[in-house]
C-alpha cells in the first residue's frame, strides 16, 4: 500500500510495521525500513544507508547491516544474493518471486513464480529433507542493453 493510499508518512508506516512484527521501534530501524519500502528496485546496504542517513543524520554501515538482518529475520525485508554482487534488499511480499539479472548493466528485475507450487521446484532429495524456499536467478540482457547493442 502506498503512502498516498494510507495518508501516513513513511516513518509512521515503518513504526507500525515494526510493532506488528514484534520488533522494538528505533529511529534506525524505521529509517532503513522506510528506505527499503520506498526503493524502486533492489538496493544494497550502502545505498540504503545513504537514504536512511537523510533521516537519522548518522548511521554506520555495520549498524545498517544489523538493522537489515533484524528486518530480514522478522520477515519484513527480503535479502537476495546474486553471485558477484553485494546482497540486495527489498520489501518481503511473501510471494516467492525470482529474479532476472542483466549480464551487461546488472539491473535486477522481479520474475513471478508461475510454474508449480511454492517453492516452484521439486528437487530430488531424500524424503527427510524439508525444502522451504528456492531461489531462481535468470541471467540475460535487459531491453535497454539490447537496444544499445543494436
Amino acid at each position: 500500500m502506498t503512502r498516498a493510499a494510507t495518508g501516513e508518512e513513511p516513518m509512521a508506516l515503518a513504526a507500525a510495521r515494526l510493532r506488528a512484527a514484534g520488533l522494538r521501534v528505533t529511529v534506525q530501524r524505521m529509517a532503513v525500513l522506510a528506505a527499503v519500502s520506498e526503493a524502486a528496485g533492489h538496493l544494497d546496504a550502502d545505498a540504503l544507508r545513504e537514504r536512511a542517513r537523510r533521516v537519522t543524520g548518522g548511521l554506520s554501515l555495520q549498524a545498517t547491516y544489523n538493522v537489515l538482518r533484524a528486518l530480514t529475520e522478522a520477515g519484513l525485508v527480503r535479502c537476495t544474493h546474486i553471485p558477484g554482487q553485494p546482497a540486495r534488499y527489498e520489501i518481503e511480499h511473501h510471494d516467492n518471486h525470482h529474479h532476472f539479472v542483466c549480464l551487461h548493466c546488472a539491473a535486477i528485475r522481479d520474475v513471478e513464480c508461475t510454474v508449480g507450487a511454492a517453492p516452484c521446484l521439486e528437487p530430488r532429495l531424500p524424503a527427510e529433507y524439508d525444502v522451504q524456499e528456492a531461489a531462481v536467478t535468470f541471467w540475460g540482457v535487459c531491453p535497454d542493453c539490447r537496444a544499445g547493442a543494436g
Side-chain angles (χ1 to χ4, degrees):
M1 195 175 298
T2 65
R3 172 178 32 182
T6 63
E8 294 186 61
E9 291 300 316
M11 292 294 277
L13 287 170
R17 294 188 72 208
L18 290 166
R19 282 188 202 95
L23 291 177
R24 189 168 53 92
V25 177
T26 67
V27 173
Q28 292 83 6
R29 287 179 176 176
M30 288 188 301
V32 172
L33 184 56
V36 175
S37 296
E38 292 186 330
H42 304 76
L43 298 182
D44 64 22
D46 197 44
L48 290 168
R49 173 181 163 246
E50 288 304 314
R51 289 175 178 226
R53 285 175 73 176
R54 296 176 194 155
V55 175
T56 64
L59 185 65
S60 71
L61 189 54
Q62 185 58 53
T64 304
Y65 276 113
N66 292 343
V67 168
L68 287 167
R69 185 178 337 100
L71 297 176
T72 300
E73 289 172 357
L76 296 172
V77 169
R78 179 177 178 172
C79 178
T80 300
H81 298 277
I82 304 292
Q85 296 188 21
R88 303 296 180 103
Y89 300 88
E90 62 186 304
I91 287 298
E92 177 61 79
H93 294 288
H94 305 284
D95 62 354
N96 198 49
H97 68 270
H98 304 301
H99 296 97
F100 173 90
V101 179
C102 180
L103 293 166
H104 293 270
C105 69
I108 301 172
R109 179 187 170 114
D110 290 345
V111 177
E112 288 184 36
C113 178
T114 59
V115 179
C120 301
L121 301 175
E122 295 183 26
R124 292 186 178 173
L125 288 168
E128 58 270 11
Y129 286 83
D130 180 20
V131 176
Q132 309 221 343
E133 182 179 351
V136 175
T137 303
F138 299 94
W139 298 86
V141 180
C142 72
D144 289 341
C145 291
R146 285 185 68 197

